[in-house]
Amino acid sequence: MVVSHQKNMIDNKKMNIGINGKRLTVLGSTGSIGTQALEVAENLGCVVAALAAHSNVGLIEQQIRRFKPSLAVLFNEEAAADLRLRVKDINVKVLSGMEGLCEAAAADTDLVLNSVVGMIGLQPTLAAIEAGHNIALANKETLVAGGAIVMKAAEQQGVKIIPVDSEHSAIFQCLQGQPDKAVKKLILTASGGPFFGKTAVELENVTPREALRHPNWSMGSKITIDSATMMNKGLELIEAKWLFNVNPRNIDIVIHRESVVHSLVEFQDNSVLAQLGVPDMKIPIQYAVTYPSRFDCNVKQLDLTDWGKLTFYKPDYETFRSMDICRKAIEIGGLYPAAVNAANEAAVSLFLENRIGFMDIIRLAGEALELDLPEFSGDIRQILETDRAVRENTVAKAQQIKR
Ligand code: NDP
Ligand code: MG
């Protein structure tokens, strides 16, 4: 006993050294996940290799001064030019555009954390895989739009895709040490968002401000709206299919208002494992960084008596058709998940600009299933073209909606 305890301590120490100094690239560093990831990285003593964001010059400048990466990218060219001036006293290369983003993804590092929002993250993910980097993936739209090519490329390169999304991290944790064949079902939990229990009629006139009020999580605006429409759970179903190679028919969704049980796996013998914790994204972010080890994390410990009881309900598939729209998209396969994702991304932006109603988001996403799309050949250009065309189409349709 004593010997094995001592051995564990030595192993842990070795692991600690392994994490301390681990090089991390953060794409989407100024966002909700990105800023928490940098907090985690600092706590673990990681080295930040590269940072990337869209246009938040002020925050990325602060991050550069604090974490001293050798490369920083702002997608927006003007913002990148501004950043170059602001950090000219520091030895950091500043790039812009998709080329810059892909260069950051491929730059020398031990792990690329992709937390940009939207399918814009697809090409950098592929660039990181191409460079042979393991990926901690928060950017679910990457897998929704391009799961087939991402998973194939990762397999070919021997690269690990480690989930950051809390539900998928939970499943990933429950699967450790389990034989693949023994998995019967994945059960994704969903908070139900701010509109749990509401009817479609009640939701027609919901405002962006109301939809942005999530009961349990503080996140970027796109995913917060996705949670309100339950599109987030539909996207997560597709994400789970790709990450865990499970037939979507064997992926269930259950409403769990408290967001303490992050997801579950049912095995062949009807035994069910779950992962629990306070609703704090730092836990799954850190696990993706330290996997397969565990370290102290700067989050509250779970005290179940704080909650007293945990509740579970069946989802309302009639009001929140988004879940079945995504299920249908992945069942048809090919370019349809990319199309639904594109329609949803465009519709969420339109809703946030007050140009369409809340329920129009679900309607527009659903209409993407009716498009006549070509067979998918496995070429990324087809996904990019579908994305572009469906966004354009969604904006055009939105202009005809009477408000
Ligand atoms: P935020 O909106 O808070 O942050 C998005 C980040 O992406 C920002 O850093 C933004 O930069 C950057 N970004 C946007 N467009 C580009 C671009 N074209 N090039 C480079 N960077 C870009 O989003 P979240 O952090 O909430 O979410 C990020 C991803 O993680 C999403 O896919 C989401 O679904 C997923 N996720 C998030 C969770 C959460 O708790 N927030 C939980 C689970 C998954 P800038 O600030 O300059 O605009
Ligand atoms: Mg999630």
Side-chain angles (χ1 to χ4, degrees):
M1 241 0 236
V2 174
V3 173
S4 90
H5 175 68
Q6 277 174 349
K7 184 178 172 298
N8 269 345
M9 277 177 51
I10 295 165
D11 283 352
N12 262 342
K13 227 170 163 187
K14 268 197 221 150
M15 285 294 198
N16 211 347
I17 294 165
I19 294 299
N20 195 350
K22 183 169 182 169
R23 293 164 307 166
L24 188 66
T25 288
V26 183
L27 310 178
S29 65
T30 53
S32 160
I33 294 287
T35 49
Q36 294 180 83
L38 287 176
E39 229 181 278
V40 165
E42 193 160 41
N43 196 35
L44 291 170
C46 295
V47 171
V48 175
L51 293 173
H54 180 270
S55 50
N56 191 339
V57 191
L59 184 51
I60 204 166
E61 180 191 348
Q62 283 175 28
Q63 294 177 341
I64 293 168
R65 294 192 183 279
R66 188 169 188 121
F67 295 98
K68 307 192 169 41
S70 49
L71 174 61
V73 177
L74 282 178
F75 189 84
N76 179 287
E77 254 168 58
E78 271 173 41
D82 183 11
L83 181 64
R84 238 171 251 125
L85 289 177
R86 288 180 185 226
V87 295
K88 59 174 192 288
D89 58 314
I90 307 174
N91 190 12
V92 58
K93 187 167 151 191
V94 177
L95 298 174
S96 65
M98 184 50 78
E99 229 172 277
L101 209 49
C102 290
E103 195 168 324
D108 210 13
T109 194
D110 296 315
L111 181 72
V112 175
L113 191 144
N114 185 352
S115 60
V116 306
V117 60
M119 76 77 77
I120 195 85
L122 175 60
Q123 289 173 86
T125 302
L126 289 169
I129 294 173
E130 191 64 32
H133 301 324
N134 287 335
I135 297 171
L137 191 69
N139 177 230
K140 64 191 82 183
E141 296 91 346
T142 274
L143 285 182
V144 174
I149 51 176
V150 169
M151 296 316 286
K152 190 169 161 205
E155 200 184 331
Q156 280 170 350
Q157 292 290 327
V159 152
K160 287 193 185 68
I161 310 273
I162 309 162
V164 169
D165 211 347
S166 57
E167 296 77 1
H168 306 73
S169 174
I171 291 168
F172 185 64
Q173 293 181 55
C174 293
L175 289 175
Q176 295 306 310
Q178 302 290 343
D180 284 358
K181 280 199 196 127
V183 175
K184 195 171 176 184
K185 214 163 75 176
L186 306 182
I187 304 161
L188 295 171
T189 52
S191 73
F195 303 137
F196 171 73
K198 297 262 188 268
T199 64
V201 175
E202 285 171 322
L203 293 179
E204 281 297 345
N205 295 320
V206 153
T207 64
R209 188 203 277 238
E210 287 165 325
L212 283 169
R213 236 181 271 137
H214 195 281
N216 303 342
W217 300 94
S218 156
M219 313 179 282
S221 55
K222 196 262 175 180
I223 185 178
T224 307
I225 300 300
D226 284 346
S227 301
T229 57
M230 296 295 288
M231 181 56 82
N232 185 47
K233 218 42 60 179
L235 301 177
E236 289 184 353
L237 182 138
I238 301 176
E239 184 187 12
K241 179 243 150 27
W242 290 117
L243 283 171
F244 307 114
N245 193 20
V246 168
N247 188 321
R249 258 174 273 153
N250 299 326
I251 308 176
D252 284 357
I253 298 171
V254 62
I255 303 290
H256 165 49
R257 295 294 284 156
E258 298 81 12
S259 299
V260 167
V261 178
H262 297 301
S263 277
L264 313 89
V265 179
E266 184 180 306
F267 294 93
Q268 206 174 357
D269 55 359
N270 288 355
S271 174
V272 179
L273 292 189
Q275 185 261 341
L276 283 70
V278 294
D280 190 323
M281 284 307 294
K282 286 204 282 296
I283 297 177
I285 293 170
Q286 174 161 314
Y287 188 66
V289 175
T290 65
Y291 166 80
S293 303
R294 293 191 187 265
F295 290 92
D296 290 351
C297 188
N298 198 10
V299 295
K300 247 184 99 182
Q301 277 176 277
L302 176 67
D303 180 350
L304 284 171
T305 62
D306 284 349
W307 273 269
K309 64 177 180 193
L310 299 175
T311 56
F312 301 91
Y313 306 92
K314 285 194 191 334
D316 173 357
Y317 287 106
E318 243 170 72
T319 303
F320 300 101
R321 284 195 307 117
S322 34
M323 290 173 283
D324 281 340
I325 291 168
C326 289
R327 199 179 275 282
K328 186 102 184 278
I330 191 65
E331 273 168 16
I332 310 171
L335 293 165
Y336 283 89
V340 166
N341 179 70
N344 180 60
E345 284 195 32
V348 170
S349 299
L350 291 163
F351 171 69
L352 287 171
E353 292 161 14
N354 270 311
R355 288 162 61 190
I356 59 171
F358 181 74
M359 293 306 280
D360 292 328
I361 305 175
I362 301 178
R363 261 176 230 126
L364 288 166
E367 283 173 23
L369 288 176
E370 284 147 34
L371 296 169
D372 188 14
L373 299 174
E375 190 105 338
F376 180 43
S377 66
D379 188 334
I380 184 174
R381 282 173 300 188
Q382 256 189 315
I383 296 177
L384 300 177
E385 175 49 26
T386 303
D387 180 72
R388 191 203 55 75
V390 174
R391 280 171 199 265
E392 210 176 274
N393 186 267
T394 305
V395 172
K397 275 191 201 154
Q399 276 161 357
Q400 288 154 22
I401 295 175
K402 284 207 185 81
R403 297 223 60 214

